[in-house]
Amino acid sequence: MSEKRKKFYITTPIYYVNDKPHIGHAYTTILVDVLARYHRFLGEEVFFLTGTDEHGAKVVMAAEKAGKNPKEFVSEISIKFRKLIKVLNIFNSNFIRTTDKKRHWPTVKKIWLKLKEKGDIYKKQYKGLYCVGCEAFITKKDLKDGKCISHQKEPEIIEEENYFFKLSKYAKKLERIIQKNEIKIIPQVRKNEVLNFIKQGLEDISFSRPRKDLKWAIPVPDDSSASIYVWTDALSNYISALGYAKNSDKFKKFWPADVHCVGKDILKFHSIIWPGMLLSLGLPLPKTIFAHGHITINGQKMSKSLGNVIDPFELVEKYGTDAVRYFLLREISPFEDGDFTHQKFEQRYNADLANGLGNLVARVITMAEKVKIQNSKFKITIQNSKLKKEIETTWRKYKKALNEFKFNEALITTWELISFCDRYIEKEKPWELLTNNKQQTTNNKQQEVISNLLYAISDIAEMLKPFLPETSERIFNQLKNQKSEILFPRF
Ligand code: MSP
């Protein structure tokens, strides 16, 4: 009997539906897709969740601006996020919407009542600065020249009576948990940021807004004058989608999350508020929170007002899904901010995909096609010990990189193997052997070189599977049929 399969639960943030998806949303979802596919390849049972966050004040404002009612507006945009998933060849297990009254709302209500039962929810009058961009109350230290540093907008001064969550109660415990990597925050610099933030002192946080100001949100279960704060609602998605409200088998099987993948902008919500809620609920904590950097456009922050927002649909239309996946995964270092420009995109495309990978596959398959001896196909075997060792080393480096969320390094190491194969071809010059068909010894040598290369290419295709699933499949088909076709036409 086989052993029980390891489970792997991974999530993206749920995206606000105030606007159509951009390249930043595509980026996070692609990172998660790679990890999900990789863990499936390792034989684990993967649950990959993504979705949309539909109750924020920002969303209501956008609907008003578009002259639509919120319900109609959020549905239209949420569909675009699902379309993006298709276009990017994302293989998610589930898609959750916070407006889903059957799947999501019962969990949010259950959480609310449990937090209250625990004595962690209380009401108080509050005056503070609310930043709609953050969908959060912020403090003076979040401002520069009176504007929110992240959104460059003046916050509203709001005075209202809200329910508060006793986050301060959990401050010491949270600090210890993060310090000891019980929740592992990756990368280390982000972990330090979170710890420094906690050390400055955690205040209780507002968990509701007056219903009259936010009719669109989920109502507080036992108080019709209040709406549940959008982040309380949103963070709950990670367990609502598993059926926490009914204590379903899926919940029991997959919770806690193995990885919450988020952008650095929302790390605090995930590493402080969410674990605070889970501690209060008495639930296990997520194992890892991976916070990636942001994509800038020609060195600038991407924003509607700057008019530099990159539409992932347009990019895919022009270059194809795998080229977009490749650029984001290879060019952007996941722990830092990374820059997108069309020029960089085309450079990477031509150098790495059309030349590097495309060229190697074309050269080798074309040779196999030409040399087919007695019309039988080549065996895909390895007899060269140096090449064999190189492949094994590449696998080791590749796995290490992926286990450490270093997507770009996993690709760099794969491309080093491509270069190694190129050098092997240059050294052995199998095409020169093509003219010497009569000598049996030469034929044998020639067969061996081509078989070795086919073997290396099949490993390269295997390594590419989580990153470029379609390309990987096309390479496997070419290996099977031993018939060459162009993978990436040059731009
Ligand atoms: N709805 C909240 C998240 C709730 S999760 C319980 C939210 N939504 S968002 O639409 O603003 O998406 C934020 C996420 O999108 C970021 O954390 C990041 O993953 C991704 N990105 C948004 N802009 C980005 C870039 N410019 N670059 C890279 N990723 C970006 O916050």
Side-chain angles (χ1 to χ4, degrees):
M1 285 301 283
S2 64
E3 278 176 57
K4 198 168 163 261
R5 264 168 89 199
K6 210 170 141 191
K7 67 89 187 171
F8 185 74
Y9 178 32
I10 185 163
T11 65
T12 72
I14 48 171
Y15 303 109
Y16 286 132
V17 286
N18 56 316
D19 209 344
K20 60 180 196 230
H22 58 60
I23 193 81
H25 305 122
Y27 179 57
T28 314
T29 310
I30 290 170
L31 294 184
V32 172
D33 189 52
V34 173
L35 291 175
R37 286 177 186 270
Y38 173 61
H39 281 265
R40 274 186 216 111
F41 161 75
L42 294 179
E44 296 170 20
E45 189 173 358
V46 172
F47 195 85
F48 163 8
L49 179 69
T50 185
T52 41
D53 186 355
E54 308 188 9
H55 287 132
K58 206 161 34 181
V59 174
V60 177
M61 282 159 66
E64 273 166 15
K65 210 169 151 198
K68 294 190 174 151
N69 71 47
K71 194 170 176 199
E72 184 189 358
F73 183 76
V74 298
S75 292
E76 276 173 25
I77 307 259
S78 181
I79 286 172
K80 295 197 171 128
F81 277 91
R82 269 166 286 162
K83 200 170 147 209
L84 181 66
I85 283 174
K86 278 225 166 68
V87 164
L88 294 172
N89 199 3
I90 302 295
F91 193 59
N92 58 313
S93 317
N94 207 281
F95 190 98
I96 186 83
R97 299 180 61 189
T98 55
T99 47
D100 189 328
K101 290 192 178 172
K102 277 209 191 102
R103 292 183 62 211
H104 183 66
W105 288 37
T107 286
V108 178
K109 290 186 174 171
K110 181 170 166 182
I111 290 177
W112 183 275
L113 293 172
K114 284 211 155 197
L115 299 179
K116 200 171 163 209
E117 208 179 284
K118 190 78 189 275
D120 286 345
I121 295 264
Y122 65 96
K123 217 169 188 181
K124 80 167 179 193
Q125 188 69 22
Y126 184 72
K127 186 173 173 187
L129 304 168
Y130 195 84
C131 169
V132 180
C134 299
E135 291 282 12
F137 282 103
I138 59 175
T139 60
K140 289 217 172 92
K141 62 175 190 284
D142 301 308
L143 302 178
K144 198 178 164 213
D145 303 327
K147 291 180 177 169
C148 162
I149 297 169
S150 310
H151 295 94
Q152 271 115 51
K153 273 200 192 116
E154 276 181 32
E156 289 173 63
I157 300 172
I158 285 179
E159 187 166 8
E160 54 194 27
E161 192 180 43
N162 286 333
Y163 286 100
F164 275 70
F165 172 62
K166 286 189 186 164
L167 185 62
S168 59
K169 178 175 153 185
Y170 296 101
K172 276 272 152 299
K173 209 165 181 183
L174 282 170
E175 190 182 333
R176 221 173 34 242
I177 284 167
I178 293 169
Q179 186 65 54
K180 289 165 113 184
N181 289 334
E182 283 168 34
I183 298 177
K184 205 164 152 194
I185 297 179
I186 292 174
Q188 177 77 27
V189 278
R190 303 273 171 241
K191 171 180 168 177
N192 297 343
E193 267 172 33
V194 172
L195 282 173
N196 287 337
F197 187 82
I198 298 177
K199 280 183 191 136
Q200 287 171 31
L202 290 184
E203 286 175 21
D204 293 348
I205 99 153
S206 173
F207 256 30
S208 75
R209 301 293 313 277
R211 184 112 194 111
K212 63 174 175 41
D213 298 326
L214 204 60
K215 288 198 199 76
W216 176 235
I218 305 179
V220 166
D222 50 3
D223 182 353
S224 58
S225 73
S227 285
I228 293 179
Y229 171 49
V230 64
W231 274 98
T232 318
D233 165 357
L235 291 161
S236 310
N237 91 86
Y238 299 130
I239 57 175
S240 74
L242 296 177
Y244 169 69
K246 288 193 224 141
N247 197 24
S248 72
D249 289 344
K250 206 182 260 167
F251 173 73
K252 285 185 235 160
K253 179 175 200 175
F254 285 104
W255 189 255
D258 293 272
V259 180
H260 285 315
C261 174
V262 298
K264 62 176 188 180
D265 52 329
I266 57 171
L267 174 62
K268 277 187 216 148
F269 295 95
H270 284 79
S271 54
I272 299 174
I273 302 178
W274 178 227
M277 287 167 68
L278 291 166
L279 285 175
S280 176
L281 292 167
L283 288 176
L285 301 168
K287 291 184 195 153
T288 300
I289 303 173
F290 163 53
H292 63 72
H294 274 182
I295 298 176
T296 54
I297 312 295
N298 284 311
Q300 279 185 312
K301 195 178 160 158
M302 184 167 41
S303 88
K304 226 177 171 180
S305 51
L306 288 173
N308 62 357
V309 178
I310 298 285
D311 180 340
F313 295 102
E314 283 172 18
L315 268 192
V316 168
E317 178 77 30
K318 183 162 178 203
Y319 300 102
T321 299
D322 278 358
V324 174
R325 290 175 67 112
Y326 181 76
F327 177 82
L328 294 173
L329 292 160
R330 170 61 185 85
E331 179 76 21
I332 314 280
S333 162
F335 298 171
E336 290 149 35
D337 289 352
D339 198 39
F340 176 96
T341 69
H342 283 280
Q343 200 193 1
K344 280 187 196 170
F345 192 104
E346 294 204 355
Q347 268 168 9
R348 276 257 167 251
Y349 180 100
N350 284 331
D352 298 0
L353 296 176
N355 287 345
L357 173 68
N359 207 21
L360 174 71
V361 175
R363 273 172 107 181
V364 175
I365 306 276
T366 310
M367 275 192 284
E369 218 178 329
K370 280 194 187 150
V371 187
K372 259 184 217 165
I373 294 160
Q374 291 164 348
N375 250 351
S376 67
K377 283 184 195 148
F378 274 88
K379 286 207 192 86
I380 302 183
T381 51
I382 184 104
Q383 285 171 55
N384 180 299
S385 60
K386 250 179 132 178
L387 182 56
K388 188 163 177 241
K389 211 168 138 228
E390 190 67 21
I391 295 171
E392 283 162 6
T393 311
T394 307
W395 270 117
R396 240 188 341 271
K397 287 205 229 158
Y398 170 97
K399 287 186 178 170
K400 183 170 184 290
L402 269 183
N403 290 337
E404 294 173 357
F405 301 88
K406 294 174 178 163
F407 302 85
N408 55 341
E409 289 186 12
L411 287 172
I412 290 171
T413 203
T414 309
W415 257 256
E416 278 166 2
L417 180 57
I418 292 175
S419 302
F420 189 93
C421 291
D422 284 337
R423 288 196 301 274
Y424 177 66
I425 298 179
E426 292 308 319
K427 188 171 155 263
E428 299 295 342
K429 301 192 175 26
W431 62 90
E432 283 185 0
L433 304 173
L434 289 178
T435 52
N436 264 335
N437 265 346
K438 276 177 211 139
Q439 290 174 20
Q440 191 57 37
T441 48
T442 314
N443 272 337
N444 285 344
K445 173 72 181 163
Q446 182 185 358
Q447 280 179 51
E448 189 198 307
V449 172
I450 294 173
S451 282
N452 287 338
L453 285 163
L454 291 171
Y455 185 93
I457 287 177
S458 80
D459 274 59
I460 289 167
E462 194 70 55
M463 289 170 196
L464 292 179
K465 222 176 187 175
F467 293 89
L468 315 176
E470 191 195 324
T471 304
S472 163
E473 206 182 305
R474 288 177 63 198
I475 298 174
F476 277 122
N477 273 333
Q478 293 195 35
L479 287 171
K480 202 169 103 208
N481 303 329
Q482 297 189 359
K483 215 170 157 19
S484 169
E485 83 191 49
I486 292 174
L487 289 173
F488 294 97
R490 201 176 297 269
F491 268 93

